[in-house]
Amino acid sequence: MRVVGYVCEFPAVASAEPAFAQWEQIRRWVDDRGELLIAVCQDDAAPRTGDRVAGLRAVLALLDCGAADTVVVASIAALGSDPADQEVALWEMRRRGGTVRCTDPADQALLDGDDATGERKAMRRLLETAEATRQSLNNA
């Protein structure tokens, strides 16, 4: 695996892990598996530059060019504060051929489809349908 890590700093959320702690969890996950860490991309929930998704864009670019095939996050919360935001980010990574992994076992279970409420399954189905419709309209 060629791994890119993704972290997001949440300055306004007291319970969130700081970026350096997320980075360390990703580094340990990669080391424990003997994989290759290509890069760690970071976003800041309150960026000074005004671009709050530059790190996510960098992750997607690494997937697009084939430099990485796996994205590792310390927590699914790094992908967004809302499950819908998280699922859209996951969709974009998967759409580009990326596998998404999480260092947190409970969050990994969510990524694997262990969704007791069915909320994530419904969002994923909606995204699949939207993509299929988009493709058929572009090919028409």
Side-chain angles (χ1 to χ4, degrees):
M1 276 189 275
R2 294 175 323 266
V3 176
V4 59
Y6 176 69
V7 301
C8 187
E9 187 75 56
F10 301 99
V13 181
S15 63
E17 295 240 43
F20 72 87
Q22 295 173 51
W23 195 98
E24 180 58 20
Q25 290 170 8
I26 292 166
R27 187 199 61 74
R28 270 188 272 133
W29 188 95
V30 171
D31 283 351
D32 289 349
R33 287 157 182 78
E35 304 300 344
L36 177 62
L37 184 61
I38 302 296
V40 177
C41 302
Q42 180 176 337
D43 279 324
D44 184 347
R48 287 172 264 160
T49 64
D51 186 359
R52 65 178 196 81
V53 292
L56 183 56
R57 243 192 306 282
V59 167
L60 298 176
L62 289 167
L63 293 171
D64 283 341
C65 75
D69 54 29
T70 303
V71 179
V72 177
V73 295
S75 167
I76 198 169
L79 301 174
S81 58
D82 178 85
D85 294 336
Q86 295 166 1
E87 288 300 324
V88 169
L90 290 166
W91 176 258
E92 285 299 326
M93 292 175 197
R94 290 173 176 151
R95 190 170 72 86
R96 289 165 164 82
T99 301
V100 184
R101 296 286 178 244
C102 187
T103 65
D104 180 280
D107 284 353
Q108 183 61 49
L110 287 175
L111 293 177
D112 292 339
D114 186 11
D115 176 20
T117 66
E119 175 185 41
R120 289 181 181 276
K121 184 177 181 179
M123 284 187 269
R124 290 173 187 165
R125 179 70 181 119
L126 180 62
L127 289 165
E128 289 169 6
T129 302
E131 179 65 14
T133 302
R134 185 191 67 76
Q135 287 179 0
S136 66
L137 290 172
N138 285 341
N139 293 331

